[in-house]
Amino acid sequence: MATRLTSEQIERYSRQIMVPDLGGTAQMHLRDSRVLVIGAGGLGSPAAFYLAAAGVGTLGIVDPDKVELSNLQRQILHATSDIGRQKVESAKMTLTKLNPDVEVKTYPVRFDEGNAKEIAAEYNFIVDGSDNFATKFLVNDTAIKLAIAFSHAGIVRLQGQTMTVIPGKSACYRCLFKAPPPPEEILNCQASGILGAVAGTLGTIQATEAVKFLAGFEEGLLTDRLLIYDAKHMKFRDIEVKRDANCASCGDPGDKS
Ligand SMILES: [Zn+2]
């Protein structure tokens, strides 16, 4: 792999290279980075779209599902003509069309206990765009074990929340939530609905955090706080999250296997 950017890359990424906090060095870091996106849905679509546009060298996309008509209102990687196709294949086609420089690796499987470590170990950052608590806790625990930074997000109806986790440095998802809620308290997109643009906002924040982390930002990441977006009243607020020394995932006696 060439160490310098090509003239075509410099032109393609010129508007972000101009940003003083980024520049050419950050662009090379992005090119040499590998980001795993869990879920090619409402969060993963905008996140992967912007990460591909920004020139992240390798994107891994994990999703076991096929594109359905009811996905298209928010899952912007997929088009009407993709209905029935594997989401990871549709995602790869869209992302490659946008930026052929990006290598897209596809995993048409559910991210589960059996494959999580093996898949995640190849990546520098994880965007969790999953739509269920079991996967969100698995992403957290896997990322903590492998010391891979990640962005959590969740969305429902007209609300979303997001937080970035740097293993060993910041509070993790399990420090905040401990364990999945009882089934009767769970709201998800299928049962509760979601406005597509709300998913877009959260996924875009996740992509922004990934770029900042990969570009080497040491301050200003969304760590040790949960950002809450209330689209109904168009308000953002964040709440402090403290690391829990007894956290089952990242706590002191924690399992480092
Ligand atoms: Zn923790």
Side-chain angles (χ1 to χ4, degrees), residues 24-25 51 114 120-121 145-146 154 158 176 179 182 191 194 205 213 227 234 237 251:
T25 305
L51 291 172
K145 276 182 191 155
L146 299 177
L158 295 171
L176 179 60
I194 175 73
I205 291 172
F213 175 81
L227 181 69
M234 200 42 79
R237 66 190 170 96

Side-chain angles (χ1 to χ4, degrees), residues 171-175 244 247 249-251:
C172 83
Y173 182 65
R174 205 181 271 282
C175 289
D244 175 3
C247 172
S249 188
C250 76

Side-chain angles (χ1 to χ4, degrees), residues 154-161 187 193-195 198-199 202 228-232 237:
I155 46 173
V156 66
R157 295 180 177 160
L158 295 171
Q159 300 170 46
Q161 62 179 37
L187 296 174
I194 175 73
L195 178 66
V198 172
L202 270 292
I228 298 168
Y229 174 39
D230 169 2
K232 186 173 176 181
R237 66 190 170 96

